[in-house]
Amino acid sequence: MINQTVLKEEFYIRYSMAGYEFDLRNEIWHLKKNLTINLSFLHDVLDKCYHEGFIHTFHIFAQEYKPETAYSLFGKVKSIILRYAIRSFLQ
């Protein structure tokens, strides 16, 4: 297990495919000039134990896919979570 207190600042900094820098600790990620992902909804709907996994999963999409694709996928997943009031991924 990685000790989170030892991790350096650079660990949290990522770059979108378009070259825009975003910080995993921030609620808003800029993927492209006028394209952002807002993660603030997580605190209201998803149980806290799933926040880190959700963020780390989506940072991979933000890095590996075109900003428009990552944004579209994020919107679809967010819509499903909000529509069905998903709080947990366990049954």
Side-chain angles (χ1 to χ4, degrees):
M1 177 176 228
I2 297 174
N3 184 348
Q4 295 292 330
T5 59
V6 177
L7 294 175
K8 295 183 178 181
E9 185 77 21
E10 297 88 38
F11 173 80
Y12 299 104
I13 304 300
R14 299 287 191 254
Y15 294 90
S16 71
M17 184 172 260
Y20 281 70
E21 181 180 283
F22 62 93
D23 190 326
L24 297 181
R25 297 168 294 181
N26 293 341
E27 289 183 343
I28 297 177
W29 298 352
H30 294 279
L31 304 180
K32 199 174 172 180
K33 184 176 181 180
N34 291 318
L35 204 58
T36 60
I37 287 179
N38 188 337
L39 299 165
S40 64
F41 83 99
L42 286 178
H43 303 292
D44 297 330
V45 290
L46 207 55
D47 287 343
K48 187 173 177 135
C49 63
Y50 298 106
H51 291 190
E52 186 176 347
F54 188 91
I55 289 167
H56 283 281
T57 300
F58 262 96
H59 99 266
I60 293 170
F61 290 113
Q63 286 185 282
E64 302 293 328
Y65 294 96
K66 291 181 181 179
E68 296 83 4
T69 303
Y71 178 80
S72 175
L73 181 60
F74 175 78
K76 290 174 184 176
V77 171
K78 178 181 174 182
S79 175
I80 291 168
I81 289 173
L82 293 174
R83 180 175 180 152
Y84 295 103
I86 296 173
R87 297 201 56 78
S88 169
F89 294 108
L90 301 175
Q91 290 192 5

